[in-house]
């Protein structure tokens, strides 16, 4: 017994390293704070992209402790300094959000008290905060108060949850799969296909509906296809619309599709991961008419609410459908089910049990700043998109059609050289420079440069800088092409 106690105390002594003293904690904070401040202060002048490779081995683990100062240095150089700088306002590719600082503070708080956000029993406060966020979203999107929902790691898992509910509500099991049909835009995000595969629906029939000239689902085509499928005695059960496609930011005609879904008793899912929060803007509110008709809806706070990466959301009107898919219990959970509340557990609407208390990173900023600056940022992004497109035309670029939201594309036209090769090379030059970052896509077999203006840090001066860089790169490249 004495030996046992002695050993326990020895181990306690070694493991106390994991509970730094207040002095040590302050010291850590000071170092992290200094780095965070210089990182943010320098954002205006730092690169939005660096294609530099990371140094071999610097980040590897050997079990031996190292000083925080060195770890911060390695982080700054190898992690924050390479690839896309997702915090930079110059990030105009993919779908940027920026990542507001007060979410980082919220994460810190959530991690210190380590709230268990899966079950009401474990942390009623955390669960109530999550449900308040979901309630707020329901009110924005016109969903009824009794809808269910969940905060997820992102849009991919949020879509997965919604599609599972659709599957289970329509009882799409093995015998029904070969005849069951999903209607989709060819511009729908690939995470939908991924989710269908994960949930065992890869063998359902997927009908990609033709798009109209604005890259939105053509509702006449949709109608015709459903009628045909029904007369062929197939089993249409799900329509997926997108409110803000990834390639062109198109918002499908939500109301008309909603009516078709209702008439045919199909589950109506809307993926608004990118576009959803533009419903808060004065300019674009009306594009979202009909979103309230959805049976399930996905949004990504880490896009349109500028929250750092790792937060998506799903709302599902039919609570039973989603609980049927995700509510489980077990003997070792009996204590948690003993208290009777009307509040359901986040774990009942998610494949996760133990989960990050991600609601706090939305709740704290919303409470601290109010909604106004968020809306102002979204409205600013729409105006910056128009401004950018006008400026591009002024310097001789061509732009894609007027976008629904803040994703658009452009290219430099040429009659003498291969246009695709020229624009590809142009994007390479922009990447090499790294001051701003764009991505690219293929539209109608044409290589185009894609711009997505969504970071809360993208400002008028950012766009002016982007224009200057694009213009210089174009001039230089033209010389090069002409000599070749
Ligand atoms: C970003 C996006 C997704 C995927 O969401 P993640 O948060 O990256 O998992 C799905 N659909 C649309 C329309 C998106 O823009």
């Amino acid at each position: 017994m004495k030996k046992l106690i002695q050993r326990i105390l020895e181990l306690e002594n070694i493991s106390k390293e994991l509970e730094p003293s207040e002095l040590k904690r302050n010291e850590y904070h000071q170092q992290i704070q200094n780095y965070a401040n210089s990182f943010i202060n320098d954002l205006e002048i730092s690169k939005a992209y660096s294609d530099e490779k990371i140094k071999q081995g610097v980040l590897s683990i050997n079990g031996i402790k190292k000083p925080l100062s060195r770890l911060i240095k390695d982080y700054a150089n190898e992690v924050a300094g390479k690839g896309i700088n997702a915090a930079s306002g110059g990030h105009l590719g993919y779908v940027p959000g920026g990542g507001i600082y007060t979410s980082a503070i919220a994460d810190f708080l959530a991690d210190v008290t380590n709230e268990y956000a899966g079950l009401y029993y474990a942390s009623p406060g955390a669960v109530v905060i999550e449900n308040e966020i979901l309630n707020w979203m329901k009110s924005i999107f016109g969903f009824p108060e009794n809808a269910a929902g969940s905060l997820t790691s992102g849009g991919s898992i949020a879509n997965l949850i919604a599609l599972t509910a659709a599957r289970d509500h329509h009882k799409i099991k093995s015998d029904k799969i070969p005849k069951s049909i999903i209607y989709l835009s060819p511009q729908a995000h690939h995470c939908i296909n991924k989710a269908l595969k994960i949930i065992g629906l890869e063998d359902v029939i997927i009908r990609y509906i033709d798009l109209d000239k604005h890259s939105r689902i053509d509702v006449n085509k949709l109608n015709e296809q459903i009628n045909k499928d029904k007369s062929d005695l197939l089993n249409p059960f799900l329509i997926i619309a997108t409110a803000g496609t990834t390639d062109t930011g198109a918002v499908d005609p939500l109301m008309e599709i909603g009516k078709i879904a209702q008439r045919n008793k199909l589950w109506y899912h809307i993926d608004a991961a990118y576009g959803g929060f533009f419903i808060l803007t004065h300019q674009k509110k009306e594009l979202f008419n009909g979103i309230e008709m959805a049976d399930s809806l996905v949004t990504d706070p880490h896009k349109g609410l500028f929250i750092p990466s790792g937060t998506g959301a799903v709302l599902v009107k039919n609570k039973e459908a989603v609980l049927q898919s995700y509510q489980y219990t077990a003997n070792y959970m009996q204590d948690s089910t003993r208290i009777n509340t009307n509040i359901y557990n986040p774990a009942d609407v998610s494949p996760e049990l133990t989960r990050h208390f991600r609601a706090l990173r939305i709740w704290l900023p919303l409470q601290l700043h109010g909604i106004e600056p968020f809306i102002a940022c979204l409205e600013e992004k729409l105006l910056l998109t128009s401004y950018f497109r006008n400026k591009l035309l002024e310097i001789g670029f061509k732009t894609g059609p007027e976008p629904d939201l803040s994703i658009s594309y452009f290219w430099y036209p040429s009659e003498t050289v291969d246009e695709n090769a020229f624009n590809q090379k142009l994007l390479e030059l922009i990447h090499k420079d790294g001051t701003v970052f764009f991505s690219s896509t293929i539209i109608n077999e044409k290589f185009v440069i894609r711009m997505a203006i969504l970071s809360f840090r993208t400002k008028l001066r950012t766009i002016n800088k982007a224009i200057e860089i694009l213009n210089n790169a174009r001039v230089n490249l033209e010389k090069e092409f002409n000599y070749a």
Side-chain angles (χ1 to χ4, degrees), residues 109-127:
L109 200 57
D111 290 355
V112 169
T113 75
N114 195 24
E115 295 309 318
Y116 191 94
L119 303 168
Y120 181 82
Y121 165 76
S123 181
V127 171

Side-chain angles (χ1 to χ4, degrees), residues 95 154-156 159 189 191 242 244 246 271 273-274 300 302-303:
V95 186
S156 302
N159 274 304
H189 195 276
C191 76
T242 309
T246 312
D271 178 3
Y274 150 64
D300 254 351
H302 65 203
K303 292 175 179 165

